[in-house]
Amino acid sequence: MNAIIDAIEMGRDSAAQLLLALKDDGDGLELPTLQAAVLELEQKCPVKIPEMDAAKKWIHKAALWEEKLENNVECNSDSGVSDEEVLLEKKLTLKKVERLVTKGKNLTLRPRSLVRLGNCVERAHLLRRKIIVWNEARNQENPQNLKFISGLVKEANKMDLMFPEILTLTGVHKKAEEWMDRASIAVRTTISFQELESLVSMGEELPLNVSDLLEKL
């Protein structure tokens, strides 16, 4: 009789420990750690408790979601290439990530990777808004300088996501950098009047503030 009572008590204790292990502190759950904890509890518990089976199913579904995420996150970027090349090589689009997050929200357990991905989506939308605002204002009287859009490019590169506005951003950034390289060379060397005139015209058409170099030209 005592053995039965002890088994019941251990079952209750295991259920309590399981609930504690499943508690989400707001940052999501690390699945490998959770899997190890559940396995240890299952091995120690002398009785079968329904919560254990449910937890294992939840973990399995969350693990399948993480596996799908890992398969999608692969990127062919190389640290030796430029920011624009890295961005254009990204395969993970904002839309694809949003679909993954939406599916992840249907999980009973919330993996930590899902929380991080959700935060990444939020940052991407903030960056997207910055690019849209810049793009709408770039032809006004006081456009931003190259340093500003270089900062946006670096921010986009760190985010490791692709969305349509990035193509506009990188296109302008690349064109501006090429012009500034040519203009810097022209300031230090002698070029024909026709080439100088063409360079000034191109600089004036850029949707950026390059007045410092234009004055030198």
Side-chain angles (χ1 to χ4, degrees):
M1 187 68 177
N2 288 337
I4 295 175
I5 294 174
D6 289 342
I8 292 173
E9 288 297 325
M10 289 182 69
R12 288 174 177 171
D13 184 57
S14 294
Q17 290 183 56
L18 177 62
L19 290 175
L20 187 62
L22 294 172
K23 185 179 179 181
D24 188 340
D25 58 4
D27 294 326
L29 298 166
E30 286 287 359
L31 293 186
T33 303
L34 181 58
Q35 284 175 318
V38 169
L39 180 61
E40 184 179 355
L41 284 172
E42 187 177 31
Q43 291 172 344
K44 289 181 178 179
C45 186
V47 294
K48 187 173 183 179
I49 55 176
E51 293 89 348
M52 196 73 72
D53 289 336
K56 287 164 68 177
K57 288 180 182 178
W58 298 338
I59 293 171
H60 177 67
K61 288 182 179 180
L64 289 177
W65 179 88
E66 277 201 337
E67 184 179 341
K68 188 172 183 180
L69 170 63
E70 289 171 4
N71 291 337
N72 278 280
V73 166
E74 292 179 1
C75 175
N76 293 330
S77 62
D78 186 338
S79 59
V81 299
S82 69
D83 286 339
E84 285 86 357
E85 289 171 320
V86 170
L87 283 170
L88 294 176
E89 286 180 359
K90 295 183 188 304
K91 293 183 178 180
L92 195 59
T93 64
L94 180 56
K95 282 188 176 181
K96 185 181 286 187
V97 170
E98 286 176 322
R99 286 197 295 269
L100 284 169
V101 170
T102 299
K103 290 180 180 178
K105 287 180 178 179
N106 293 325
L107 296 170
T108 304
L109 296 181
R110 193 172 62 148
R112 187 157 295 176
S113 54
L114 173 59
V115 176
R116 290 170 180 164
L117 200 62
N119 292 337
C120 184
V121 168
E122 289 181 10
R123 292 196 304 272
H125 280 292
L126 288 174
L127 174 61
R128 190 177 189 180
R129 183 58 190 161
K130 286 182 187 177
I131 297 174
I132 290 172
V133 170
W134 160 76
N135 194 35
E136 290 175 348
R138 64 179 180 163
N139 292 317
Q140 295 180 4
E141 291 184 4
N142 297 308
Q144 296 286 354
N145 56 24
L146 181 61
K147 184 178 180 180
F148 176 81
I149 64 167
S150 293
L152 292 181
V153 168
K154 289 187 181 298
E155 192 176 341
N157 191 40
K158 289 178 182 177
M159 200 160 294
D160 205 30
L161 289 176
M162 173 59 75
F163 43 90
E165 288 78 8
I166 286 181
L167 296 176
T168 301
L169 175 70
T170 53
V172 172
H173 185 249
K174 184 176 181 180
K175 186 177 180 181
E177 281 200 324
E178 289 173 350
W179 180 87
M180 292 191 78
D181 287 342
R182 289 179 59 193
S184 297
I185 293 171
V187 168
R188 299 192 305 269
T189 59
T190 302
I191 61 173
S192 67
F193 177 76
Q194 185 177 2
E195 189 177 356
L196 180 61
E197 193 175 38
S198 173
L199 202 55
V200 170
S201 178
M202 288 175 62
E204 290 174 342
E205 291 175 1
L206 285 173
L208 294 171
N209 183 355
V210 290
S211 56
D212 289 349
L213 267 178
L214 280 174
E215 288 175 4
K216 292 178 182 179
L217 291 173

